[in-house]
């Protein structure tokens, strides 16, 4: 073949391949244009997942009548003019190719009016062919309609998923943009149903409405500054850590991006507070002079390159770590000069508490034990009870102390209970499905595309676990029944299902069903088990020890942490000089 220059239509179609691969990426480009035009209201409408119609309307600045043709021409933009502008981009768009690319693979209608014009102007692009412009009646702002998407690129059309899946992706895109632009109203409608409606509000309220208002009490506000870079955001406490990193939202100068360095800085700040396999929940907003960050490094503009990556890393890490330490999640024993009698002097946080377990061993307890009168009993004080040989003592609401023939046993209550439940559940599973309990009112939970997909493909597994749930919309799931064990232990069903689907969706579990089941049961046991800080009744104590003797199989919980330690008589005798 000879070398030839490609025709413009083909060039635009090739560019479209990088920029617009599905309805969600088209919506992203169009909404970004609306935001760049300084609007306060954006309406997005879909028909059949965007296959038949995508319409984005805004009340922004509009386009001058004599520029409307340029708007749909490739490499034509109002956002940059010369080379220097490229190194300090303050707008979301800058390449001038979105409208041209979209118009090359669909039938696009662009209608726009500026506030000082009496009427609007319209242009159509059909598979890359531009119509004449013509005046139309229009309100101030811009509307773009995209129909017959990919009609001339059938291969691309084939890659589209179900309408529901495409709709969910659009929803994810709008949520990402809406996180940064809290003072803009966003409405998403699909087949006449309103899926999202975010009125103008404060930053914090906007984020909570996106991540889930149920997390309100669990999100800590962070704020920091370094070398002209500012950071603001909400970070979830260790107890709302998730099995995947996708609940980490990062925004730089209003742009939603993914950035492995920022994610790493955040995760490092949680070191020791969450299990290594889990990820924090967070929405972070980094603002800096546009010249300090290169946004022209990714076709869909979803990554950036920082001039000074280290400063950003440290800012995120230090800001998050200091907020976490203020909130006392840090698992450190700090000896104080005044010793244990100083109530403010030190914090005593067990490693159990480090892993999102509520409650820490109480300081007052330590205090009162230390000061218990040992020799000098006042007459009215009752004499301490002499305990029998199978007595058990709960220490600091965290450990159990008892004895066996060989010495003193020290048991971690959470680890043991987790182990007991794991064994019981595995045994039940070997005989059939887990016992399940119907909910009086189905639990409706918000779900994203990956979670819905995981629900669809794991029906078998979920049934075995006693979970009954089904999609109840393009972005929600109804839960009808949950494993009895979780219900009876007051585990939050919505959180559990979401985490389970996240983990299933990101292939966290083994591919063999057998192994996957045991991994899930492991996760369930951990959630349902009593925690450090739970006060146990004598009945619960003796039940737990009885079960320990039944399972008997040794001293470690499913995670591999020990459940029990023994201080042998031989050791004690030696230490006390008896031998
Ligand atoms: P870019 O956003 O990279 O400049 P686009 O192809 O997305 O390229 O848009 C081309 C131009 O059309 C923009 O630079 C802008 O001037 C104009 N434009 C597009 N959409 C809108 C809108 N919603 N409101 C106002 N102007 C718009
Ligand atoms: Mg654009």
């Amino acid at each position: 073949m000879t070398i030839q220059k490609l025709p413009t239509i083909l060039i635009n179609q090739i560019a479209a391949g990088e920029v617009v691969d599905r309805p969600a990426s088209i919506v992203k480009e169009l909404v970004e244009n609306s935001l760049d035009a300084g609007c306060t209201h954006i309406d997005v409408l879909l028909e059949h997942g965007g296959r038949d119609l995508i319409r984005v309307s805004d009340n922004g600045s509009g386009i001058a009548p004599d520029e409307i043709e340029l708007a749909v021409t490739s490499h034509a933009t109002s956002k940059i003019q010369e080379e220097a502008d490229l190194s300090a981009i303050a707008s979301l768009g800058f390449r001038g190719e979105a409208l041209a690319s979209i118009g090359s693979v669909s039938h696009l209608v662009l209608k726009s009016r500026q506030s000082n014009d009496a009427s609007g102007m319209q242009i159509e692009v059909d598979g890359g062919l531009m119509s004449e412009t013509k005046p139309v009646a229009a309100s101030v702002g811009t509307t773009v309609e995209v129909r017959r998407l990919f009609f001339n690129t059938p291969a691309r059309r084939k890659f589209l998923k179900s309408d529901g899946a495409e709709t969910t992706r659009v929803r994810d895109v709008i949520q990402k943009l809406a996180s940064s632009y809290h003072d803009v109203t966003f409405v998403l409608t699909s087949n006449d149903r309103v899926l999202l409606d975010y009125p103008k509000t404060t930053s914090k309220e906007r984020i909570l409405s996106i991540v889930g208002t149920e997390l309100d009490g669990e999100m800590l506000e962070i704020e920091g500054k370094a070398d002209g870079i500012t950071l603001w955001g909400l970070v979830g406490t260790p107890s709302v850590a998730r099995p995947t990193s996708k609940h980490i939202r990062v925004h730089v100068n209003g742009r939603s991006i993914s950035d492995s360095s920022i994610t790493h800085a955040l995760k490092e700040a949680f070191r020791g507070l969450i299990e290594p396999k889990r990820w924090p929940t967070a929405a972070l907003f980094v603002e800096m002079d546009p010249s300090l960050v290169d946004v022209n490094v990714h076709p869909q503009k979803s990554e950036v390159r920082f001039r000074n990556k280290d400063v950003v890393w440290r800012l995120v890490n230090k800001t998050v770590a200091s907020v976490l330490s203020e909130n006392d999640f840090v698992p450190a024993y700090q000896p104080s000069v005044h010793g244990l009698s100083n109530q403010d002097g030190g914090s005593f946080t067990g490693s159990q508490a480090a892993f999102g377990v509520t409650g820490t061993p109480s300081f007052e307890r330590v205090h009162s034990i230390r000061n218990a009168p040992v020799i000098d009993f006042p007459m009215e004080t009752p004499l301490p009870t002499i305990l029998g040989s199978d007595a058990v003592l709960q220490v600091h609401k965290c450990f159990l102390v008892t004895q066996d023939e060989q010495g003193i046993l020290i048991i971690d209550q959470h680890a043991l209970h987790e182990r007991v439940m794991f064994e019981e559940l595995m045994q039940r599973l070997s005989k059939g499905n887990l016992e399940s309990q119907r909910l009086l009112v189905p639990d409706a939970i918000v779900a994203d595309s990956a979670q819905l997909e995981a629900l669809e493909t794991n029906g078998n597994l979920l049934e075995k676990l006693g979970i009954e749930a089904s999609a109840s919309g393009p972005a929600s799931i109804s839960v009808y029944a949950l494993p009895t064990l979780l219900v009876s232990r007051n585990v939050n069903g919505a959180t559990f299902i979401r985490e389970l689907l996240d983990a299933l969706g990101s292939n966290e579990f083994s591919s063999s069903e057998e192994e996957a089941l045991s991994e899930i049961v492991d996760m369930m046991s951990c959630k349902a088990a009593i925690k450090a800080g739970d006060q146990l009744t004598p009945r619960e104590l003796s039940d737990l020890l009885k079960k320990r003797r039944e399972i008997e199989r040794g001293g470690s919980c499913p995670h591999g942490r020990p459940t029990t330690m023994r201080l042998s008589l031989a050791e004690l005798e030696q230490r006390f000089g008896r031998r």
Side-chain angles (χ1 to χ4, degrees), residues 11-212:
I11 291 176
N12 289 344
Q13 284 181 353
I14 292 169
E18 288 199 344
V19 188
V20 293
D21 57 345
R22 55 186 355 119
S25 44
I26 292 176
V27 168
K28 176 171 185 279
E29 292 294 336
L30 297 180
V31 172
E32 285 186 352
N33 281 346
S34 299
L35 291 168
D36 281 344
C39 71
T40 58
H41 191 113
I42 301 177
D43 262 308
V44 180
L45 185 128
L46 299 179
E47 271 170 28
H48 294 114
R51 224 177 273 264
D52 293 351
L53 173 66
I54 299 170
R55 183 167 73 211
V56 176
S57 344
D58 65 58
N59 62 352
S61 63
I63 303 171
D66 57 344
E67 290 186 353
I68 199 128
E69 196 178 317
L70 274 176
V72 294
T73 304
S74 59
H75 311 301
T77 177
S78 57
K79 298 170 194 175
I80 54 172
Q81 282 174 0
E82 51 184 50
E83 201 186 323
D85 297 340
L86 200 53
S87 52
I89 292 168
S91 52
L92 294 170
F94 54 87
R95 291 188 185 134
E97 59 180 10
L99 291 181
S101 299
I102 299 167
S104 73
V105 293
S106 70
H107 182 158
L108 178 147
V109 180
L110 168 65
K111 201 191 308 184
S112 191
R113 186 187 139 202
Q114 294 191 319
S115 61
N116 48 358
D117 289 327
S119 70
M121 195 59 101
Q122 171 173 315
I123 190 167
E124 298 186 26
V125 189
D126 196 3
L129 297 173
M130 249 182 253
S131 72
E132 296 286 309
T133 57
K134 64 172 185 207
V136 282
S139 44
V140 174
T142 304
T143 297
V144 179
E145 284 186 2
V146 179
R147 290 178 203 274
R148 295 167 56 213
L149 180 60
F150 300 140
F151 75 94
N152 53 353
T153 49
R156 180 118 302 172
R157 198 173 169 90
K158 255 189 235 140
F159 272 105
L160 294 181
K161 298 242 164 98
S162 68
D163 289 1
E166 294 299 337
T167 305
T168 311
R169 287 181 198 231
V170 169
R171 193 175 159 271
D172 293 348
V173 158
I174 293 181
Q175 286 190 327
K176 283 184 177 166
L177 288 157
S179 307
S180 291
Y181 291 82
H182 58 90
D183 43 12
V184 175
T185 298
F186 291 78
V187 180
L188 168 65
T189 313
S190 161
N191 298 341
D192 294 333
R193 250 170 38 111
V194 175
L195 295 187
L196 294 177
D197 186 354
Y198 295 135
K200 175 181 154 100
T201 176
T202 63
S203 249
K204 184 171 179 185
E205 290 303 319
R206 175 63 62 82
I207 294 162
L208 285 174
S209 65
I210 290 169
V211 301

